[in-house]
Amino acid sequence: MPSNLGLSLSSPGGSLHRNLTRFQVKFDLLLLFSLTIVVGLGLMTLYSALVDETSLFIRHVILVVLGFILMIGVAQIPITTIYRFTPLIYVGCILLLVGVYFFGYVSKGSKRWLDLPLLPRFQPSELLKIAIPLMLAWYLKDRTWPISFMDLCISLAIVAFPVGLVYIQPDLGTSVLLVTGSSSVIVFAGMSWRWIMIAGGTLISAIPFVWMFGMHPYQKQRVLTMFDPESDALGSGWNIIQSKTALGSGGLFGKGWTEGSQIQLEFLPAGHTDFIMAVLGEEMGLIGCASLLVAFLLIFARGLQLSLTLEDDFAKYAICGITTMFFIYVLVNILMVCGLLPVVGVPLPLVSFGGTSAVTFLLGFGVIVALARRREVP
Amino acid sequence: MDASSEERDQSFRNRVIIVAGIGVFFVFLVLARLINVQIVNFEKYSTVSDENRIKVKAIPAPRGFFFDRDGRVLADMKFILTLSIDEQRVENLEATIARLREMLDLTDQHIKEFERRRRTQSRPFRPVPIKRNITYEESAYIALNRHLFPGVIVQSESIRNYPFGELTSHALGTVRRITQEDLATLDPTIYSVTDFVGGTGIEKFYESDLAGTPGHRIVEVDAHHREIRVLNETAPIHGSDVFLHLDMDLQQVAWDALGERRGAVIALETQSGGIMAMVSKPGYDPNLFVQGISEEDYAALQDPIQSPLFNRATRATYAPGSTFKPVVALAALSTGTTTWERIIWDGGEFRLKNTRNSRVWRGWSWTKTNPGGQGECDLFRAIYRSSNIYFYTVAEEMGIEQLAGFARQFGFGINEVFDVPEAEEGLLPDPDWKRDYLGERWQPGDTVNLGIGQGSILATPMQVVQVAATIASNGQRRQPRMIYYSPKQLKATEVPPKELPPVHGILPEDWQLLKDSMKAVIHRGNMGYGQNGTAWAYIGIDIPYEMSGKSGTAQTIAIPPGEEYEEDEVPEKYRDHAWFMAYAPADQPEVAVVVLIENGGGGSSQAGPVARAVLDEYMKGKSESDDA
């Protein structure tokens, strides 16, 4: 019954530990392996980017370790429990977002952070990366195939309500990614091809209008800069020029760990957050980048593959949704660092500095593993 | 409408595969991009990255020093602390200056100069000095309160220093701050790090040697331009030092002897042509130009009469007056116009023969109550008594072509100075010149005037001292020069100072007699009224060594440099220029001297004692070194 790949990690069966083995810790080994590679490479790179700010690095490491523990813990939760709590989680997230709206901590002109007792300051919008796919999967479980127009509308409402609260923070980048990632759940759950085409066509034809009426000048500037960074080399083009320079000068093998002049001499801004991929490229070269990319791809593929082994719609849709959400974040960040997308403030999952982001994604993988157990929801 | 379970599974599977495919497509897209950036364009981005972090910074080369012939430092470098403002880093300039004024002694003058420098900055984006030469206390104060003054910096500057100040101002010239116009012409590899370039005098002439070659420091910098470490360093090459013929003892004596009078003194070593003293008064403090002269100070230096910036020794031209007579004497001898034996009656008046020109030329001692001249004059007496009538006569007989042709051999109308830039040529008039420049015909009267160094003839003190040195050397001539030697091969002396063509056509006994007559100017005394040398009473009575000389009293008005004058408008107060040229020892000449005092009056009485003072000092130094 257990899948060949879904190995279980159990404590050694020695007599000393016999009593403990009653509580078996189970986790998907391939996923754990890929995650470890990503997090390992990530921590190495982050250490280099924060070489003068070790205390920040240590804080991040502690959160990542906590995230791993949380992930393995969550992975043990029965799927029924998750299913039952999904609407509660979703509503809880919305309440937190409303809380942000009223009591949020303002940083750089937007209200994104919440201070709660006993918890570190965190961004509730991060939790939506899991909460929305879960909620959609919960709602779309066992619906008609393809889903009815009514269900489509309700699904969109499930997405729109919390994302709306994020949008007004304002946080355009996260909103767009949440919509894109969440929409994937609707597609997986049987959105008809006709509607997919209509939605796609509408989006494409909306681009000129969005460009003309829906974007701030600085946002347009970022798009233009992507095509010609040299036009404003010391201004909006600086980040992308320095990022490409860091990557390019790394070559095949890189300049060596903590030896990257672009990051160490502070030419590369945001090297520990959004542009951390450039640091990896500079110090470990194409080899380092490709390794990270392959590890990310493995996680993505493994997530999708797990969904194919399952019967339950909720588990299938949720796993695909969270996996796709994760991978969209990865791609958008890396495409931005390579200069193939405009500069949007998206961190690289599990690699960039930032506790909430890392913990949430790890939590997401805990959920995936929990759901991947082949047990039908009653 | 609802699909079967199998169809659902199939459709779901398809969708997963499509999404996976899209994901894989983007991963390959990213990989392709990474290969393009990291492999294909590796060289390009490596270069950009290196250019980011590696900067070449030039290290200024210390400017070469000047020394006098005894090794005394005349120009070196010193460090000062300068308070500057980097506008790129100042948020509110006015507030910063106001705060600085509360803390430091900053006058309105400082602020005004700062504003001027800001407007006229030669290199943009550089800190602009607001106060130079601040004290260590002030510098420490700024350092302690750095947080209050973002963008305010204290820089250490190496600047030119002239220890003797005013005393050497005209002998050396000065450096000046590089202006925006200079940057277009100066070699950027040499002048990128220095703020100074030779402006006048030998500072300008030897500029290419003094400047040296800047060194380079290759440094790694961070994004904030902070130096992280030095990767490589090439030391600067110190500018060449130059030793000068100048003797600061002579220079000092000449300076003091002139007193407050306007004028020039030059001492020339006859053997070498070396300039042992060159004084022009008034002088100025050359250090002012180094530290950036204020508008007020500069305006004060523009006084048209005093004109302290004007080097009278090489650039002011005056009629040479009677100092020209020895040249006329030699001309007359070489052309056979006269002999040492010929006697001409000097009755105090001269009229042209065979013309209806009724003009009367008079002797220098002529007055209404005592119209008599020097009496019977041979050439020897004509020189020690400075008989005008004798020289009027021979000049008229000789004619302008012969006189001017001969005089040109002495360097009149030619700039022969080797290394003092912008020396004037003076003017030796002849019929061609008068026709070309005045559009008039040469008159016999012009020749008469020239016979006593008057009329249109103009000469610089440098040219007159050359005459004295030429006579002292029996016609041998050398280019006057400041440079004695340099430890290094100099670019400026690739064509070295040269021997000039000697004066020809003069017999050795003629040279000797001329020199004897010039010795008599000073030493012939106690002979009764009208029999003593013209300078004897002033400088010859107590002289312990033998000296030869010739006074001159240029009977013309002070022509402020570069100005035309109208004879009718000349105020009475403009007195004659006083000249004295001399050399010593009389029989083995070593040094020639000229003294010019603008509106100084009588040459023997006013300029003579100055020349004597300089020669006294020389002879004193000579006997001291002989004793030792």
Short mmCIF file of all heavy atoms in Angstrom, two decimals, chain A residues 142-196:
data_model
loop_
_atom_site.label_atom_id
_atom_site.label_comp_id
_atom_site.label_asym_id
_atom_site.label_seq_id
_atom_site.Cartn_x
_atom_site.Cartn_y
_atom_site.Cartn_z
N ASP A 142 -15.36 17.05 -5.16
CA ASP A 142 -16.56 16.32 -5.59
C ASP A 142 -17.60 17.18 -6.30
O ASP A 142 -18.79 16.95 -6.21
CB ASP A 142 -17.24 15.63 -4.38
CG ASP A 142 -16.31 14.61 -3.76
OD1 ASP A 142 -15.41 14.11 -4.48
OD2 ASP A 142 -16.44 14.35 -2.55
N ARG A 143 -17.14 18.23 -6.97
CA ARG A 143 -18.08 19.01 -7.81
C ARG A 143 -18.17 18.37 -9.17
O ARG A 143 -17.43 17.43 -9.49
CB ARG A 143 -17.60 20.45 -7.95
CG ARG A 143 -17.42 21.21 -6.66
CD ARG A 143 -18.75 21.74 -6.12
NE ARG A 143 -18.61 22.04 -4.69
CZ ARG A 143 -19.62 22.43 -3.92
NH1 ARG A 143 -20.85 22.54 -4.42
NH2 ARG A 143 -19.41 22.67 -2.66
N THR A 144 -19.04 18.91 -10.01
CA THR A 144 -19.17 18.38 -11.38
C THR A 144 -17.87 18.62 -12.14
O THR A 144 -17.04 19.46 -11.77
CB THR A 144 -20.31 19.09 -12.13
OG1 THR A 144 -20.07 20.50 -12.05
CG2 THR A 144 -21.64 18.75 -11.51
N TRP A 145 -17.68 17.86 -13.20
CA TRP A 145 -16.47 18.01 -14.05
C TRP A 145 -16.90 18.24 -15.47
O TRP A 145 -17.59 17.39 -16.01
CB TRP A 145 -15.59 16.79 -13.95
CG TRP A 145 -14.26 17.01 -14.64
CD1 TRP A 145 -14.02 16.96 -15.98
CD2 TRP A 145 -13.03 17.31 -14.03
NE1 TRP A 145 -12.73 17.21 -16.23
CE2 TRP A 145 -12.07 17.44 -15.04
CE3 TRP A 145 -12.64 17.50 -12.69
CZ2 TRP A 145 -10.75 17.73 -14.79
CZ3 TRP A 145 -11.31 17.76 -12.47
CH2 TRP A 145 -10.36 17.89 -13.51
N PRO A 146 -16.65 19.26 -16.12
CA PRO A 146 -16.02 20.48 -15.58
C PRO A 146 -16.94 21.21 -14.62
O PRO A 146 -18.14 20.97 -14.65
CB PRO A 146 -15.76 21.31 -16.83
CG PRO A 146 -16.67 20.80 -17.88
CD PRO A 146 -17.07 19.41 -17.52
N ILE A 147 -16.37 22.10 -13.82
CA ILE A 147 -17.17 22.71 -12.77
C ILE A 147 -18.19 23.66 -13.39
O ILE A 147 -17.99 24.21 -14.48
CB ILE A 147 -16.30 23.47 -11.74
CG1 ILE A 147 -15.41 24.51 -12.43
CG2 ILE A 147 -15.49 22.50 -10.92
CD1 ILE A 147 -14.65 25.38 -11.46
N SER A 148 -19.27 23.83 -12.63
CA SER A 148 -20.35 24.68 -13.13
C SER A 148 -19.93 26.15 -13.05
O SER A 148 -18.98 26.51 -12.35
CB SER A 148 -21.61 24.47 -12.28
OG SER A 148 -21.37 24.96 -10.97
N PHE A 149 -20.66 26.97 -13.76
CA PHE A 149 -20.37 28.42 -13.76
C PHE A 149 -20.53 28.98 -12.35
O PHE A 149 -19.74 29.82 -11.90
CB PHE A 149 -21.31 29.12 -14.73
CG PHE A 149 -21.06 30.59 -14.83
CD1 PHE A 149 -19.86 31.08 -15.36
CD2 PHE A 149 -21.98 31.51 -14.36
CE1 PHE A 149 -19.61 32.43 -15.44
CE2 PHE A 149 -21.73 32.87 -14.42
CZ PHE A 149 -20.54 33.33 -14.98
N MET A 150 -21.55 28.46 -11.66
CA MET A 150 -21.81 28.91 -10.29
C MET A 150 -20.61 28.63 -9.41
O MET A 150 -20.13 29.51 -8.67
CB MET A 150 -23.04 28.13 -9.76
CG MET A 150 -23.54 28.66 -8.45
SD MET A 150 -24.09 30.38 -8.64
CE MET A 150 -24.50 30.72 -6.94
N ASP A 151 -20.10 27.38 -9.54
CA ASP A 151 -18.93 27.03 -8.72
C ASP A 151 -17.73 27.88 -9.09
O ASP A 151 -16.94 28.26 -8.23
CB ASP A 151 -18.60 25.54 -8.90
CG ASP A 151 -19.63 24.66 -8.21
OD1 ASP A 151 -20.30 25.18 -7.29
OD2 ASP A 151 -19.77 23.49 -8.61
N LEU A 152 -17.63 28.16 -10.36
CA LEU A 152 -16.51 29.00 -10.80
C LEU A 152 -16.58 30.36 -10.12
O LEU A 152 -15.59 30.88 -9.60
CB LEU A 152 -16.55 29.16 -12.33
CG LEU A 152 -15.45 30.04 -12.93
CD1 LEU A 152 -14.08 29.47 -12.67
CD2 LEU A 152 -15.68 30.23 -14.42
N CYS A 153 -17.80 30.91 -10.11
CA CYS A 153 -17.97 32.23 -9.51
C CYS A 153 -17.67 32.19 -8.02
O CYS A 153 -16.98 33.07 -7.48
CB CYS A 153 -19.39 32.75 -9.73
SG CYS A 153 -19.69 33.14 -11.45
N ILE A 154 -18.17 31.15 -7.34
CA ILE A 154 -17.92 31.05 -5.91
C ILE A 154 -16.43 30.88 -5.64
O ILE A 154 -15.84 31.52 -4.75
CB ILE A 154 -18.74 29.88 -5.30
CG1 ILE A 154 -20.22 30.27 -5.31
CG2 ILE A 154 -18.26 29.58 -3.88
CD1 ILE A 154 -21.15 29.16 -4.93
N SER A 155 -15.78 30.06 -6.51
CA SER A 155 -14.32 29.88 -6.36
C SER A 155 -13.61 31.21 -6.48
O SER A 155 -12.71 31.54 -5.69
CB SER A 155 -13.79 28.92 -7.43
OG SER A 155 -14.46 27.70 -7.34
N LEU A 156 -14.02 31.97 -7.48
CA LEU A 156 -13.36 33.28 -7.68
C LEU A 156 -13.59 34.18 -6.48
O LEU A 156 -12.69 34.93 -6.06
CB LEU A 156 -13.88 33.95 -8.95
CG LEU A 156 -13.41 33.28 -10.25
CD1 LEU A 156 -14.04 33.95 -11.47
CD2 LEU A 156 -11.88 33.32 -10.36
N ALA A 157 -14.76 34.08 -5.90
CA ALA A 157 -15.04 34.88 -4.72
C ALA A 157 -14.15 34.46 -3.56
O ALA A 157 -13.64 35.30 -2.81
CB ALA A 157 -16.51 34.74 -4.33
N ILE A 158 -13.94 33.15 -3.43
CA ILE A 158 -13.04 32.66 -2.37
C ILE A 158 -11.64 33.25 -2.53
O ILE A 158 -10.98 33.59 -1.55
CB ILE A 158 -12.99 31.10 -2.41
CG1 ILE A 158 -14.33 30.53 -1.95
CG2 ILE A 158 -11.84 30.58 -1.56
CD1 ILE A 158 -14.44 29.03 -2.11
N VAL A 159 -11.24 33.39 -3.79
CA VAL A 159 -9.92 33.99 -4.03
C VAL A 159 -9.97 35.49 -3.80
O VAL A 159 -9.11 36.06 -3.13
CB VAL A 159 -9.46 33.70 -5.48
CG1 VAL A 159 -8.12 34.39 -5.75
CG2 VAL A 159 -9.35 32.20 -5.72
N ALA A 160 -11.01 36.12 -4.34
CA ALA A 160 -11.03 37.58 -4.40
C ALA A 160 -11.11 38.23 -3.02
O ALA A 160 -10.48 39.27 -2.80
CB ALA A 160 -12.22 38.03 -5.26
N PHE A 161 -11.86 37.61 -2.12
CA PHE A 161 -12.07 38.28 -0.85
C PHE A 161 -10.78 38.51 -0.08
O PHE A 161 -10.41 39.67 0.21
CB PHE A 161 -13.10 37.48 -0.03
CG PHE A 161 -13.66 38.25 1.12
CD1 PHE A 161 -14.13 39.56 0.93
CD2 PHE A 161 -13.69 37.71 2.40
CE1 PHE A 161 -14.65 40.27 1.99
CE2 PHE A 161 -14.19 38.43 3.46
CZ PHE A 161 -14.68 39.72 3.26
N PRO A 162 -10.02 37.46 0.23
CA PRO A 162 -8.76 37.71 0.96
C PRO A 162 -7.74 38.48 0.13
O PRO A 162 -7.03 39.34 0.65
CB PRO A 162 -8.24 36.31 1.30
CG PRO A 162 -8.93 35.39 0.37
CD PRO A 162 -10.23 36.02 -0.02
N VAL A 163 -7.68 38.19 -1.18
CA VAL A 163 -6.68 38.88 -2.01
C VAL A 163 -6.99 40.37 -2.07
O VAL A 163 -6.08 41.21 -2.07
CB VAL A 163 -6.64 38.26 -3.43
CG1 VAL A 163 -5.78 39.12 -4.35
CG2 VAL A 163 -6.08 36.85 -3.37
N GLY A 164 -8.28 40.70 -2.06
CA GLY A 164 -8.67 42.11 -2.02
C GLY A 164 -8.08 42.80 -0.81
O GLY A 164 -7.59 43.93 -0.89
N LEU A 165 -8.12 42.09 0.33
CA LEU A 165 -7.57 42.67 1.54
C LEU A 165 -6.05 42.86 1.44
O LEU A 165 -5.48 43.79 2.02
CB LEU A 165 -7.90 41.78 2.75
CG LEU A 165 -9.36 41.82 3.20
CD1 LEU A 165 -9.64 40.72 4.20
CD2 LEU A 165 -9.69 43.18 3.80
N VAL A 166 -5.40 42.00 0.70
CA VAL A 166 -3.95 42.14 0.49
C VAL A 166 -3.68 43.31 -0.45
O VAL A 166 -2.77 44.11 -0.23
CB VAL A 166 -3.35 40.84 -0.09
CG1 VAL A 166 -1.88 41.04 -0.43
CG2 VAL A 166 -3.51 39.70 0.89
N TYR A 167 -4.54 43.41 -1.47
CA TYR A 167 -4.33 44.44 -2.49
C TYR A 167 -4.38 45.84 -1.89
O TYR A 167 -3.63 46.72 -2.31
CB TYR A 167 -5.39 44.28 -3.59
CG TYR A 167 -5.24 45.27 -4.71
CD1 TYR A 167 -4.23 45.13 -5.67
CD2 TYR A 167 -6.10 46.36 -4.82
CE1 TYR A 167 -4.08 46.03 -6.68
CE2 TYR A 167 -5.95 47.28 -5.84
CZ TYR A 167 -4.94 47.11 -6.78
OH TYR A 167 -4.79 48.01 -7.79
N ILE A 168 -5.28 46.01 -0.89
CA ILE A 168 -5.39 47.35 -0.33
C ILE A 168 -4.32 47.67 0.71
O ILE A 168 -4.28 48.76 1.25
CB ILE A 168 -6.79 47.58 0.29
CG1 ILE A 168 -7.05 46.57 1.42
CG2 ILE A 168 -7.89 47.52 -0.76
CD1 ILE A 168 -8.33 46.85 2.18
N GLN A 169 -3.41 46.71 0.95
CA GLN A 169 -2.40 46.97 1.99
C GLN A 169 -1.46 48.14 1.67
O GLN A 169 -1.07 48.84 2.60
CB GLN A 169 -1.58 45.69 2.25
CG GLN A 169 -2.31 44.70 3.11
CD GLN A 169 -1.48 43.46 3.36
OE1 GLN A 169 -0.50 43.20 2.70
NE2 GLN A 169 -1.90 42.68 4.34
N PRO A 170 -0.98 48.46 0.53
CA PRO A 170 -1.15 47.73 -0.72
C PRO A 170 0.03 46.79 -0.95
O PRO A 170 1.15 47.07 -0.55
CB PRO A 170 -1.13 48.86 -1.74
CG PRO A 170 -0.27 49.92 -1.12
CD PRO A 170 -0.30 49.73 0.36
N ASP A 171 -0.27 45.68 -1.62
CA ASP A 171 0.79 44.73 -1.96
C ASP A 171 0.42 44.06 -3.27
O ASP A 171 -0.15 42.97 -3.30
CB ASP A 171 0.95 43.71 -0.83
CG ASP A 171 2.19 42.85 -1.01
OD1 ASP A 171 2.78 42.89 -2.12
OD2 ASP A 171 2.56 42.14 -0.07
N LEU A 172 0.72 44.78 -4.34
CA LEU A 172 0.30 44.32 -5.67
C LEU A 172 0.97 43.01 -6.03
O LEU A 172 0.34 42.08 -6.53
CB LEU A 172 0.64 45.38 -6.71
CG LEU A 172 0.31 45.02 -8.15
CD1 LEU A 172 -1.20 44.92 -8.32
CD2 LEU A 172 0.91 46.01 -9.13
N GLY A 173 2.30 42.93 -5.77
CA GLY A 173 3.05 41.74 -6.16
C GLY A 173 2.44 40.47 -5.57
O GLY A 173 2.14 39.51 -6.29
N THR A 174 2.24 40.48 -4.24
CA THR A 174 1.68 39.30 -3.58
C THR A 174 0.28 39.01 -4.12
O THR A 174 -0.08 37.84 -4.36
CB THR A 174 1.63 39.54 -2.06
OG1 THR A 174 2.93 39.88 -1.62
CG2 THR A 174 1.16 38.30 -1.34
N SER A 175 -0.51 40.07 -4.35
CA SER A 175 -1.88 39.86 -4.85
C SER A 175 -1.86 39.11 -6.18
O SER A 175 -2.59 38.13 -6.38
CB SER A 175 -2.58 41.20 -5.05
OG SER A 175 -2.48 41.98 -3.89
N VAL A 176 -1.03 39.59 -7.09
CA VAL A 176 -0.97 38.96 -8.43
C VAL A 176 -0.56 37.50 -8.30
O VAL A 176 -1.15 36.60 -8.91
CB VAL A 176 0.00 39.74 -9.34
CG1 VAL A 176 0.25 38.96 -10.63
CG2 VAL A 176 -0.55 41.12 -9.63
N LEU A 177 0.48 37.25 -7.47
CA LEU A 177 0.95 35.88 -7.33
C LEU A 177 -0.10 34.99 -6.68
O LEU A 177 -0.29 33.83 -7.06
CB LEU A 177 2.24 35.86 -6.51
CG LEU A 177 3.45 36.40 -7.27
CD1 LEU A 177 4.64 36.55 -6.33
CD2 LEU A 177 3.81 35.47 -8.42
N LEU A 178 -0.81 35.52 -5.68
CA LEU A 178 -1.85 34.73 -5.02
C LEU A 178 -2.96 34.38 -6.00
O LEU A 178 -3.42 33.23 -6.04
CB LEU A 178 -2.43 35.51 -3.84
CG LEU A 178 -1.58 35.55 -2.56
CD1 LEU A 178 -2.22 36.45 -1.52
CD2 LEU A 178 -1.41 34.14 -2.00
N VAL A 179 -3.34 35.36 -6.82
CA VAL A 179 -4.41 35.10 -7.80
C VAL A 179 -3.94 34.03 -8.79
O VAL A 179 -4.65 33.06 -9.08
CB VAL A 179 -4.79 36.40 -8.54
CG1 VAL A 179 -5.70 36.09 -9.73
CG2 VAL A 179 -5.49 37.34 -7.58
N THR A 180 -2.71 34.20 -9.30
CA THR A 180 -2.20 33.24 -10.27
C THR A 180 -2.12 31.84 -9.68
O THR A 180 -2.57 30.85 -10.27
CB THR A 180 -0.80 33.66 -10.75
OG1 THR A 180 -0.77 35.07 -10.87
CG2 THR A 180 -0.44 33.02 -12.07
N GLY A 181 -1.51 31.76 -8.48
CA GLY A 181 -1.33 30.46 -7.84
C GLY A 181 -2.67 29.81 -7.53
O GLY A 181 -2.89 28.61 -7.78
N SER A 182 -3.61 30.62 -6.98
CA SER A 182 -4.90 30.06 -6.59
C SER A 182 -5.70 29.62 -7.81
O SER A 182 -6.39 28.59 -7.78
CB SER A 182 -5.70 31.10 -5.81
OG SER A 182 -4.93 31.61 -4.76
N SER A 183 -5.61 30.40 -8.88
CA SER A 183 -6.36 30.04 -10.09
C SER A 183 -5.99 28.64 -10.55
O SER A 183 -6.81 27.92 -11.13
CB SER A 183 -6.06 31.03 -11.22
OG SER A 183 -6.17 32.33 -10.74
N SER A 184 -4.71 28.28 -10.31
CA SER A 184 -4.29 26.95 -10.75
C SER A 184 -5.17 25.87 -10.11
O SER A 184 -5.48 24.85 -10.75
CB SER A 184 -2.81 26.72 -10.41
OG SER A 184 -2.65 26.50 -9.03
N VAL A 185 -5.61 26.10 -8.86
CA VAL A 185 -6.45 25.10 -8.21
C VAL A 185 -7.75 24.91 -9.00
O VAL A 185 -8.20 23.78 -9.22
CB VAL A 185 -6.77 25.50 -6.75
CG1 VAL A 185 -7.62 24.43 -6.07
CG2 VAL A 185 -5.48 25.73 -5.98
N ILE A 186 -8.30 26.05 -9.43
CA ILE A 186 -9.57 25.97 -10.19
C ILE A 186 -9.33 25.22 -11.50
O ILE A 186 -10.16 24.43 -11.94
CB ILE A 186 -10.13 27.38 -10.44
CG1 ILE A 186 -10.14 28.18 -9.14
CG2 ILE A 186 -11.53 27.31 -11.02
CD1 ILE A 186 -10.60 29.63 -9.29
N VAL A 187 -8.20 25.47 -12.10
CA VAL A 187 -7.88 24.75 -13.35
C VAL A 187 -7.75 23.26 -13.07
O VAL A 187 -8.33 22.43 -13.76
CB VAL A 187 -6.59 25.30 -13.98
CG1 VAL A 187 -6.14 24.42 -15.14
CG2 VAL A 187 -6.80 26.73 -14.44
N PHE A 188 -6.99 22.91 -12.02
CA PHE A 188 -6.83 21.49 -11.70
C PHE A 188 -8.17 20.84 -11.37
O PHE A 188 -8.41 19.68 -11.66
CB PHE A 188 -5.89 21.32 -10.48
CG PHE A 188 -4.44 21.56 -10.80
CD1 PHE A 188 -3.71 22.55 -10.16
CD2 PHE A 188 -3.79 20.75 -11.74
CE1 PHE A 188 -2.38 22.76 -10.46
CE2 PHE A 188 -2.46 20.96 -12.04
CZ PHE A 188 -1.75 21.97 -11.40
N ALA A 189 -9.08 21.64 -10.76
CA ALA A 189 -10.34 21.07 -10.28
C ALA A 189 -11.39 21.00 -11.37
O ALA A 189 -12.55 20.72 -11.07
CB ALA A 189 -10.85 21.89 -9.11
N GLY A 190 -11.01 21.30 -12.62
CA GLY A 190 -11.94 21.06 -13.69
C GLY A 190 -12.60 22.30 -14.26
O GLY A 190 -13.73 22.25 -14.73
N MET A 191 -11.93 23.41 -14.22
CA MET A 191 -12.43 24.58 -14.94
C MET A 191 -12.46 24.22 -16.42
O MET A 191 -11.50 23.66 -16.94
CB MET A 191 -11.49 25.75 -14.68
CG MET A 191 -11.91 27.06 -15.28
SD MET A 191 -10.72 28.33 -14.74
CE MET A 191 -11.27 29.74 -15.66
N SER A 192 -13.58 24.53 -17.10
CA SER A 192 -13.69 24.07 -18.49
C SER A 192 -12.68 24.80 -19.37
O SER A 192 -12.33 25.95 -19.10
CB SER A 192 -15.10 24.31 -18.99
OG SER A 192 -15.32 25.69 -19.16
N TRP A 193 -12.23 24.12 -20.40
CA TRP A 193 -11.24 24.71 -21.30
C TRP A 193 -11.75 26.00 -21.90
O TRP A 193 -11.01 26.94 -22.14
CB TRP A 193 -10.86 23.72 -22.40
CG TRP A 193 -10.04 22.57 -21.89
CD1 TRP A 193 -10.41 21.29 -21.82
CD2 TRP A 193 -8.71 22.66 -21.35
NE1 TRP A 193 -9.42 20.52 -21.26
CE2 TRP A 193 -8.35 21.35 -20.97
CE3 TRP A 193 -7.80 23.69 -21.14
CZ2 TRP A 193 -7.13 21.04 -20.40
CZ3 TRP A 193 -6.57 23.37 -20.59
CH2 TRP A 193 -6.24 22.07 -20.21
N ARG A 194 -13.09 26.01 -22.14
CA ARG A 194 -13.68 27.21 -22.70
C ARG A 194 -13.44 28.42 -21.79
O ARG A 194 -13.00 29.47 -22.23
CB ARG A 194 -15.19 26.98 -22.90
CG ARG A 194 -15.84 27.95 -23.84
CD ARG A 194 -17.18 27.39 -24.31
NE ARG A 194 -18.11 27.27 -23.20
CZ ARG A 194 -19.10 28.18 -22.97
NH1 ARG A 194 -19.27 29.17 -23.81
NH2 ARG A 194 -19.90 28.03 -21.95
N TRP A 195 -13.71 28.20 -20.51
CA TRP A 195 -13.53 29.31 -19.57
C TRP A 195 -12.06 29.66 -19.38
O TRP A 195 -11.70 30.83 -19.19
CB TRP A 195 -14.18 28.98 -18.22
CG TRP A 195 -15.65 29.24 -18.26
CD1 TRP A 195 -16.66 28.33 -18.26
CD2 TRP A 195 -16.26 30.53 -18.36
NE1 TRP A 195 -17.89 28.94 -18.35
CE2 TRP A 195 -17.66 30.31 -18.42
CE3 TRP A 195 -15.77 31.84 -18.43
CZ2 TRP A 195 -18.59 31.36 -18.53
CZ3 TRP A 195 -16.69 32.87 -18.52
CH2 TRP A 195 -18.08 32.63 -18.57
N ILE A 196 -11.26 28.63 -19.46
CA ILE A 196 -9.81 28.92 -19.36
C ILE A 196 -9.38 29.83 -20.49
O ILE A 196 -8.66 30.82 -20.30
CB ILE A 196 -8.99 27.60 -19.38
CG1 ILE A 196 -9.26 26.83 -18.08
CG2 ILE A 196 -7.49 27.90 -19.53
CD1 ILE A 196 -8.61 25.46 -18.04
#
